[in-house]
Amino acid sequence: MVNADIEIETLAEFDRVVARGSLSGYRIQSVNLLERTFALLSADTSAAVFLGCAMEPDASVKVRADGALVFPPVPDLPFNPYRGLLYTPEELFAGLPEGYEATPDALAYAWFQETKADGDVLSSMLRSIHDDAISDALDEHLLDARVVGVMGGHAMARGGAEYRGAAELGRALTRSGLTVATGGGPGAMEAANLGAYLAPVADEALPEALELLAKAPSFAPSVSDWARAAFAVRDRWPGGGDSVGIPTWFYGHEPPNAFAAHIGKYFANATREDGLLARSNAGVVFLPGAAGTVQEVFDSATPNYYESRGEPAPMVLVDRAHWTEHLPVWPLLQSLARGRSMESRIAIVDSVDEVPDVLASMT
């Protein structure tokens, strides 16, 4: 159950609530209140919680005296641990003209590298608060949405047929009314988010977009060039379709892609993995991948096996040769499912073209 009624995440929401005279019991999340001193001095703030809200000293003294709980902003951090909303590509890639190293995404990763093993409880607490805030924002954003997860490897190059197929899949799923959610990184993940982004425009846009992207086929050796090519596509077709990317700073070699309209980026990869799969209530599609994708197959299979999240969610593996010969995951998945309710909710197909109909037949 998402209880967003007591959360205030924007200045406009703050103004609407405070006009009624009371902030008692509300959670105000990362709102700059430096210009709202009179409102804070006038309103009842008992039992309120202020998470990372900048305010004048006299306002801070008053709300604390009311009994409010105040978590002040943390200076000199490249990220906001109390954020109330998901990231956008524009936010994570701000400063890209100067190079990827200058972006908030790169700076947050650099901070993580410096602090992940320093034994400082403050650093670990800040990461945990941030990731919990992201989970809360994801729950609010995806409330009542039918979400289909699309998993796959980061190594899929932009110029290939597999990349195009993954983009066509993301487009088809979005046009069918589903919300596409991916791991938010490059390769197959980016392709599925690209397809969702281009879903509102004519089919002819995809070949042209793929041609623009092929100028920087991979994020190696230059994340800057790779990201700039993506923003060139966004500039060519502004206001694209909605999808979600859920990446992690744990794999620093994987920058987020710019085609997911909403990005929930985590420090803790385990939290990110479980959260992505748990929110894929309309099923999960597994494109060819390596170790990470294999892990995601069985992270998805385990709650289906035990029915710990209720009725098993559909699982569709794409590319029979990959999943039966190169990485023989399918035989093991079949063996696990045999005789259980998940048995009718797993399938393997040869191509992405088959996925929408197979998914529909299992929901």
Side-chain angles (χ1 to χ4, degrees), residues 150-226:
V150 180
M151 311 297 149
H154 69 259
M156 186 182 290
R158 283 170 165 174
E162 287 186 337
Y163 186 97
R164 177 171 183 154
E168 290 172 343
L169 173 63
R171 184 176 64 185
L173 294 172
T174 301
R175 288 177 175 176
S176 73
L178 297 170
T179 297
V180 169
T182 78
M189 298 171 280
E190 180 188 57
N193 288 129
L194 168 66
Y197 184 86
L198 294 177
V201 301
D203 288 355
E204 292 74 17
L206 181 57
E208 185 178 344
L210 294 174
E211 187 175 339
L212 289 170
L213 292 172
K215 296 175 182 177
S218 173
F219 60 95
S222 172
V223 175
S224 300
D225 291 345
W226 175 83

Side-chain angles (χ1 to χ4, degrees), residues 271-291:
T271 306
R272 166 254 192 173
E273 290 274 12
D274 184 69
L276 170 55
L277 295 167
R279 291 176 175 87
S280 298
N281 53 20
V284 186
V285 180
F286 299 92
L287 300 172

Side-chain angles (χ1 to χ4, degrees), residues 53-305:
C53 299
M55 61 181 80
E56 295 291 351
D58 51 345
S60 177
V61 169
K62 183 266 181 185
V63 300
R64 290 173 191 268
D66 276 355
L69 187 59
V70 179
F71 292 80
V74 182
D76 303 321
L77 278 181
F79 64 95
N80 177 6
Y82 305 112
R83 61 180 302 114
L85 303 172
L86 297 175
Y87 292 101
T88 65
E90 293 87 349
E91 182 180 1
L92 286 176
F93 284 103
L96 183 62
E98 287 73 49
Y100 172 71
E101 294 74 17
T103 66
D105 185 66
L107 294 173
Y109 173 66
W111 177 89
F112 181 41
Q113 289 297 100
E114 292 171 3
T115 63
K116 66 181 181 181
D118 65 3
D120 186 349
V121 67
L122 177 62
S123 299
S124 61
M125 182 184 72
L126 291 172
R127 292 194 296 269
S128 296
I129 292 172
H130 170 274
D131 286 1
D132 188 69
I134 290 296
S135 292
D136 182 64
L138 275 170
D139 287 339
E140 292 173 7
H141 178 73
L142 295 174
L143 184 66
D144 299 327
R146 295 180 64 233
V147 182
V148 58
V150 180
M151 311 297 149
H154 69 259
M156 186 182 290
R158 283 170 165 174
E162 287 186 337
Y163 186 97
R164 177 171 183 154
E168 290 172 343
L169 173 63
R171 184 176 64 185
L173 294 172
T174 301
R175 288 177 175 176
S176 73
L178 297 170
T179 297
V180 169
T182 78
M189 298 171 280
E190 180 188 57
N193 288 129
L194 168 66
Y197 184 86
L198 294 177
V201 301
D203 288 355
E204 292 74 17
L206 181 57
E208 185 178 344
L210 294 174
E211 187 175 339
L212 289 170
L213 292 172
K215 296 175 182 177
S218 173
F219 60 95
S222 172
V223 175
S224 300
D225 291 345
W226 175 83
R228 287 172 185 142
F231 279 97
V233 170
R234 289 172 54 92
D235 290 343
R236 174 69 178 81
W237 294 278
D242 188 33
S243 70
V244 173
I246 307 180
T248 176
W249 280 294
F250 185 80
Y251 297 120
H253 61 285
E254 281 190 13
N257 77 72
F259 295 113
H262 307 277
I263 300 173
K265 191 155 191 178
Y266 285 85
F267 288 105
N269 185 55
T271 306
R272 166 254 192 173
E273 290 274 12
D274 184 69
L276 170 55
L277 295 167
R279 291 176 175 87
S280 298
N281 53 20
V284 186
V285 180
F286 299 92
L287 300 172
T293 311
V294 171
Q295 177 181 340
E296 288 161 348
V297 170
F298 292 105
D299 280 347
S300 184
T302 301
N304 281 350
Y305 181 90

Side-chain angles (χ1 to χ4, degrees), residues 316-321 323 347-352 354-355 358:
V316 182
L317 278 62
V318 180
D319 190 334
R320 191 178 303 272
W323 294 118
I348 188 167
V349 298
D350 292 309
S351 73
V352 293
E354 303 170 70
V355 171
V358 169

